[in-house]
Structures are given as structure tokens and as C-alpha cells.
């Protein structure tokens, strides 16, 4: 991948600290201190990457002696912040955490144990529960279907139904662990996304390369949700998500697969347009789709497109089966 950064050392298999926690922060004063306090005693290096915050949250991080701080001069988005943290890491694993989360004790070791002895696994997603309703799931692993829709499994459902490990399409970047050395092969987060669907894209690329992503229910995280964007559906999020949904399909599907899925993708975009029209966000959504088309046609978009490799044909076939199967999972939510 052309956007892969330098600075990735080898896994330190014998070292006591095996994970680096990367927390991107942008004006997270309401949450960041509680997040860091919840990590006290967890066996991990902690790096907070600040995206030019102006609310005092950057200064608050400086009061925690166990947290390292990387300061960016402006808000470059989730992907750039995370990539800066990954580039600064030197451990076997990288764990991403949103700034509006709090972890349950033993979180780091639970994530690491699920990855150990499984070299075919690239990433793992924690059991993410609602901070405001702790018995409800916020995300139990992310999935993607042939309609071009990404969805969080278990959203707003009781936690009791999501206590088993299993394969997922992608790890939710809100609370995920990654095998750091594989970023060399798969690439890091695509900064064209800025935010939203970047974790689906990374999981998709891992799948193309033949790796798996798993759900780790033993690692529990509580998530406030939409702390920066403000709500589940707002103009900022809808615009970027629409743009990135077009780009996600374009960059990861070879031409033949894109043509095969085009009828379902168009149907999926049409259904979403109707949904957002009802929420007075239809114009925002459609403009986002247009931005996605322009991104695909741009030099930056074309440069990041995944090149088809015949050696990965089995992976493409398996992924296509998943895309069709996940339609059912999406519709019965």
C-alpha cells in the first residue's frame, strides 16, 4: 500500500508489555480523563494522539504520567491520528480505543489471549456495551453486506446473546486489537476516509490477504457513542459515511466483482437515500454519494485501490459469499 508508514519494528515476543493502546482525541474533555483512569493498571503502553483539541483535553492528558501524548496541529481525522499512534508503537499488538470509552479490568490481557497462537488472525473486536445502558450491546463485531451497508452486530440488544467468540467481517475501531507486523502487508488506515468505515475497509483488506478478524467477548468496553459527532444520525456523519460507502466498494472490489454487485449496491444506496429523506438528511446523503464518486475518480482514490492478485482468488470468492450471506444478517436486525 502506498500510504504505509515507516517505523514498524519486529514483534517483541518476550517482552512483558505486548500491546500499545492508541487513543485518538479531538475535544474529548468530557470523556478522556475517565478513559485514561479506567486503563490504570492495564499492562500496556498508552499513546494519546491529539487532533488539535482546543477544549483543554490535551492539557488534561498531560496530567496522566502513564500516557504519552502526540500533538497534531489540527484535526486530521481519525485515520491520520491512529496511523501516527501505530507508527510510534513498538509492541506485538496495537489496541485502538475511542476517547469516550471505559474498559473493564483485565481488558488488555483478554484481547491478547485471543490473538496468541493464531497467526491467521489479524484483528479482534471487543464486546462493546452501551455506557448508558451497560446490559445492552453497542457493537459485537462489524459486518458488511452486498447492499454496501456496514452494520454493528447486536446493536441495542441484551449482552447475554453475545458471549461467544466467532468470526466477524471487521473489528470495530472503537475497541480493537491488531497484530502490528501485519500492517506491513495489509496497510494501515486509509486516510482518504478521514473517519467512518475505515475499520471496515481495513478488515476487508485483511480478508483479501487471507487473514481473519474475530470477536472477543471476554474483553469488555463501555462506550458513550457519538461523542464527537453529536448523535447517531447527523449531517457530518451522514455525509462522510455516504462518501466512504461508495469509496469502500470501489477500492476493494475488482471490476468483475463490482459489476456483479452493482445492482445490489444501487438498491442499497437507494434505500438509504429514502431513509435519510425521512430524517431530513436526504440531500446530505446524496451529496455524500457524489463526493464518493469524485473520490474514486481522484488520483488519491485510485492510488489506494487494492490491486487484484490471482493468488487471492479464494479470498475474493469467500468474501463474496459473506457479502451475500450478510444481507440476511442485516435485514433481520
Amino acid at each position: 500500500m502506498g500510504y504505509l508508514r515507516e517505523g514498524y519494528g519486529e514483534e517483541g515476543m518476550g517482552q512483558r508489555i505486548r500491546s500499545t493502546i492508541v487513543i485518538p482525541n479531538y475535544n474529548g474533555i468530557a470523556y478522556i480523563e475517565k478513559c485514561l483512569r479506567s486503563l490504570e493498571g492495564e499492562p500496556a503502553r498508552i499513546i494519546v494522539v491529539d487532533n488539535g483539541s482546543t477544549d483543554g483535553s490535551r492539557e488534561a492528558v498531560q496530567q496522566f504520567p502513564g500516557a504519552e501524548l502526540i500533538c497534531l496541529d489540527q484535526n486530521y481525522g481519525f485515520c491520520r491520528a491512529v496511523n501516527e499512534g501505530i507508527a510510534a508503537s513498538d509492541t506485538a499488538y496495537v489496541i485502538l480505543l475511542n476517547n469516550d470509552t471505559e474498559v473493564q479490568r483485565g481488558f488488555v490481557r483478554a484481547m491478547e489471549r485471543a490473538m496468541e497462537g493464531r497467526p491467521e488472525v489479524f484483528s479482534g473486536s471487543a464486546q462493546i456495551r452501551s455506557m448508558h445502558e451497560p446490559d445492552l450491546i453497542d457493537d459485537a463485531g462489524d459486518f458488511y453486506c452486498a447492499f454496501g451497508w456496514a452494520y454493528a452486530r447486536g446493536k441495542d440488544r441484551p449482552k447475554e446473546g453475545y458471549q461467544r467468540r466467532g468470526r466477524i467481517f471487521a473489528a470495530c475501531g472503537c475497541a480493537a486489537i491488531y497484530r502490528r507486523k501485519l500492517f506491513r502487508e495489509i496497510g494501515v488506515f486509509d486516510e482518504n476516509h478521514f473517519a467512518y468505515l475505515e475499520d471496515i475497509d481495513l478488515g476487508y483488506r485483511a480478508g483479501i490477504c487471507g487473514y481473519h478478524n474475530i470477536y472477543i467477548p471476554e474483553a469488555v468496553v463501555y462506550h458513550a457513542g457519538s461523542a464527537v459527532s453529536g448523535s447517531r444520525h447527523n449531517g457530518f456523519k451522514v455525509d462522510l459515511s455516504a462518501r466512504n460507502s461508495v469509496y469502500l466498494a470501489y477500492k476493494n472490489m475488482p471490476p468483475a466483482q463490482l459489476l456483479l454487485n452493482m445492482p445490489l449496491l444501487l438498491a442499497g444506496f437507494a434505500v438509504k437515500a429514502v431513509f435519510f429523506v425521512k430524517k431530513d438528511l436526504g440531500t446530505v446523503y446524496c451529496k455524500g454519494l457524489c463526493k464518493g464518486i469524485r473520490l474514486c475518480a481522484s488520483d488519491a482514490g485510485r492510488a489506494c485501490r487494492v490491486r487484484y492478485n490471482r493468488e487471492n482468488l479464494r479470498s475474493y470468492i469467500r468474501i463474496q459469499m459473506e457479502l451475500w450471506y450478510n444481507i440476511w444478517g442485516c435485514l433481520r436486525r
Side-chain angles (χ1 to χ4, degrees):
M1 294 296 172
Y3 47 83
L4 181 60
R5 294 171 182 270
E6 298 296 332
Y8 299 88
E10 295 301 317
E11 288 194 12
M13 298 302 292
Q15 60 191 16
R16 185 176 64 86
I17 299 299
R18 303 198 61 210
S19 295
T20 299
I21 298 175
V22 175
I23 305 173
N25 178 65
Y26 176 66
N27 289 343
I29 190 63
Y31 299 98
I32 189 65
E33 293 177 284
K34 291 180 180 179
C35 177
L36 292 173
R37 276 197 290 270
S38 76
L39 291 170
E40 291 177 352
E42 292 292 322
R45 180 185 176 194
I46 300 172
I47 300 176
V48 177
V49 184
D50 187 79
N51 255 327
S53 295
T54 58
D55 67 341
S57 55
R58 178 170 57 187
E59 291 75 13
V61 173
Q62 293 174 329
Q63 303 306 310
F64 285 81
E68 302 172 43
L69 181 63
I70 297 175
C71 295
L72 305 181
D73 61 343
Q74 59 180 289
N75 184 8
Y76 291 102
F78 178 89
C79 300
R80 167 70 181 275
V82 166
N83 286 347
E84 294 285 351
I86 293 172
S89 67
D90 59 358
T91 49
Y93 304 112
V94 173
I95 296 176
L96 300 190
L97 268 184
N98 275 15
N99 62 355
D100 60 341
T101 59
E102 295 178 36
V103 308
Q104 192 173 91
R105 186 178 298 276
F107 163 77
V108 170
R109 288 300 191 213
M111 294 287 261
E112 292 173 348
R113 281 194 297 269
M115 302 288 286
E116 290 169 356
R118 305 185 66 181
E120 77 284 0
V121 175
F122 167 60
S123 73
S125 191
Q127 179 183 142
I128 306 171
R129 298 185 197 169
S130 168
M131 189 176 292
H132 306 297
E133 296 182 86
D135 289 333
L136 298 183
I137 291 290
D138 186 62
D139 192 303
D142 286 350
F143 288 82
Y144 181 65
C145 74
F147 281 138
W149 299 345
Y151 61 95
R153 185 172 67 119
K155 184 76 172 178
D156 298 327
R157 293 184 177 178
K159 67 180 189 299
E160 286 75 17
Y162 300 91
Q163 300 302 320
R164 297 177 61 182
R165 285 189 194 176
R167 288 270 297 275
I168 56 178
F169 191 88
C172 175
C174 170
I177 186 170
Y178 299 90
R179 196 177 303 277
R180 189 175 62 92
K181 70 177 184 180
L182 293 183
F183 283 118
R184 290 173 174 169
E185 178 181 353
I186 295 166
V188 290
F189 286 86
D190 183 350
E191 294 176 17
N192 285 332
H193 282 92
F194 189 84
Y196 302 116
L197 299 182
E198 72 291 323
D199 44 7
I200 300 291
D201 170 58
L202 185 59
Y204 200 137
R205 282 185 274 133
I208 290 173
C209 292
Y211 297 104
H212 302 158
N213 306 292
I214 62 172
Y215 170 59
I216 308 173
E218 310 95 294
V220 178
V221 173
Y222 300 94
H223 182 217
S226 301
V228 172
S229 60
S231 64
R232 186 174 295 186
H233 300 302
N234 58 75
F236 175 79
K237 184 174 182 178
V238 170
D239 175 67
L240 274 177
S241 296
R243 186 195 70 151
N244 292 345
S245 65
V246 175
Y247 178 56
L248 175 65
Y250 160 81
K251 72 167 289 189
N252 289 293
M253 294 183 186
Q257 187 181 22
L258 194 58
L259 185 63
L260 174 66
N261 287 300
M262 190 59 69
L264 289 174
L265 288 170
L266 292 175
F269 294 149
V271 170
K272 279 288 187 77
V274 172
F275 173 83
F276 285 116
V277 164
K278 294 179 179 179
K279 293 185 174 294
D280 295 324
L281 289 167
T283 300
V284 173
Y285 179 77
C286 291
K287 285 183 177 180
L289 294 179
C290 292
K291 290 178 182 178
I293 294 171
R294 290 197 294 271
L295 175 57
C296 295
S298 69
D299 291 341
R302 291 197 301 270
C304 291
R305 192 173 191 192
V306 177
R307 294 183 180 180
Y308 174 72
N309 186 334
R310 285 193 302 174
E311 294 180 0
N312 294 330
L313 179 59
R314 287 189 178 182
S315 295
Y316 279 109
I317 293 173
R318 177 182 56 78
I319 289 171
Q320 185 58 50
M321 295 299 106
E322 284 188 61
L323 297 182
W324 282 331
Y325 178 80
N326 290 343
I327 290 176
W328 168 244
C330 184
L331 294 178
R332 66 177 183 155
R333 288 171 63 228

